[in-house]
Amino acid sequence: MKLLAINGSPRKTWNTATLLQKSVEGAASQGASTELIHLYDLTFKGCVSCFACKTMGGASYGRCAVKDDLAPVLAKVLETDVLLLGSPIYFGSVTGEMQSCLERLWFPFLTYTDPPASLFPGKIRTGFIFTLGADEKMAKERGFDARIAMNAFLLKMIFGHAETLSSYDTYQFEDYSKVFAPRWDPAKKAKRREEVFPEDCRRAFEMGKRLASTSPL
Ligand SMILES: Cc1cc2nc3c(=O)[nH]c(=O)nc-3n(C[C@H](O)[C@H](O)[C@H](O)COP(=O)(O)O)c2cc1C
């Protein structure tokens, strides 16, 4: 049982990475071998519309033909039993790096048919962890949750399974007294980090355990 985790946050030890790490630990507790890749360590672009993945009879049909640092990561997706993704929400969507990764991950597997079909071989469990500065109310009102649901919809369509976990109202700055951010109450943020974030970590661990399940999909 192999789990591949991809961190779409530029920060390697903050909210998204911490929750990803908890999920990885949950999967490892079930015997999974795990690997965590930080997208911001890699140099790559999003989909360049070459359509090699859509060219019938071509060497890259159903696969991304672009050769850069993301290519070996996309190859690993074909070998993994579990795919775990994580991203902060930036301006309502995943980070630019994660979006570029998703374009390259999703587009080759999706057929331009009505309805679309998946060229991914078989089914695997997937999980997507999102972290947001917004609280639950704001995330719903501003449509962030709807964007999150769209990511889950596509993951399920392509890989046959998707779970998501959202961690809201995250603690964003190391020291709130040093940044100009009057919108946030540092005491409220600290309280939430103390009282709710540990529960989000626990949920992430449990999600990792579920994703490492060996029961057929
Ligand atoms: C450029 C930028 C844009 C952001 N945009 C949003 C947003 O639209 N909605 C939101 O809820 N949080 C937003 N945030 C806050 C982050 O999503 C949140 O702090 C997240 O937990 C950071 O993840 P990290 O700790 O893994 O870096 C933004 C943060 C940055 C730096």
Side-chain angles (χ1 to χ4, degrees), residues 145-167:
D145 283 343
R147 301 285 289 272
I148 285 171
M150 178 52 84
N151 283 301
F153 174 79
L154 283 160
L155 273 180
K156 184 154 193 304
M157 185 190 279
I158 294 165
F159 298 103
H161 171 270
E163 269 203 54
T164 62
L165 187 156
S166 298
S167 178

Side-chain angles (χ1 to χ4, degrees), residues 106-120 157-158:
W106 287 344
F107 193 62
F109 291 140
L110 272 182
T111 60
Y112 266 140
T113 51
D114 188 14
S118 174
L119 296 175
F120 183 75
M157 185 190 279
I158 294 165

Side-chain angles (χ1 to χ4, degrees), residues 9 11 14-17 88-92 131-134 144 170 172:
S9 170
R11 302 198 283 185
W14 274 70
N15 298 287
T16 312
I89 293 296
Y90 281 5
F91 298 102
T131 71
L132 303 87
F144 302 158
T170 54
Q172 192 174 3

Side-chain angles (χ1 to χ4, degrees), residues 18-204:
T18 301
L19 292 165
L20 276 172
Q21 191 54 44
K22 293 292 171 192
S23 263
V24 164
E25 286 166 16
S29 76
Q30 302 303 297
S33 64
T34 63
E35 184 181 5
L36 173 62
I37 291 169
H38 297 285
L39 281 184
Y40 280 76
D41 282 346
L42 311 179
T43 303
F44 65 98
K45 289 191 182 342
C47 175
V48 293
S49 268
C50 70
F51 302 122
C53 65
K54 301 275 176 267
T55 303
M56 290 179 290
S60 263
Y61 183 72
R63 302 287 180 270
C64 182
V66 176
K67 296 293 168 236
D68 59 15
D69 288 359
L70 194 66
V73 180
L74 298 176
K76 281 176 195 224
V77 173
L78 288 164
E79 303 294 323
T80 197
D81 303 298
V82 180
L83 178 62
L84 177 65
L85 305 167
S87 179
I89 293 296
Y90 281 5
F91 298 102
S93 191
V94 293
T95 59
E97 251 58 12
M98 178 54 83
Q99 188 61 43
S100 292
C101 170
L102 293 178
E103 289 168 7
R104 301 262 304 276
L105 176 66
W106 287 344
F107 193 62
F109 291 140
L110 272 182
T111 60
Y112 266 140
T113 51
D114 188 14
S118 174
L119 296 175
F120 183 75
K123 291 183 177 188
I124 58 170
R125 286 187 167 77
T126 74
F128 208 147
I129 293 173
F130 302 91
T131 71
L132 303 87
D135 62 17
E136 290 85 341
K137 184 169 173 281
M138 206 188 294
K140 199 165 183 232
E141 283 169 2
R142 299 195 178 181
F144 302 158
D145 283 343
R147 301 285 289 272
I148 285 171
M150 178 52 84
N151 283 301
F153 174 79
L154 283 160
L155 273 180
K156 184 154 193 304
M157 185 190 279
I158 294 165
F159 298 103
H161 171 270
E163 269 203 54
T164 62
L165 187 156
S166 298
S167 178
Y168 297 95
D169 203 1
T170 54
Y171 200 80
Q172 192 174 3
F173 311 114
E174 208 161 318
D175 185 346
Y176 275 75
S177 71
K178 290 192 175 147
V179 292
F180 181 68
R183 170 180 194 157
W184 308 117
D185 175 347
K188 267 177 80 180
K189 282 281 185 192
K191 191 166 184 283
R192 173 114 190 178
R193 177 153 185 97
E194 230 170 76
E195 293 176 0
V196 180
F197 194 67
E199 173 59 15
D200 293 343
C201 289
R202 193 196 60 74
R203 291 194 297 127

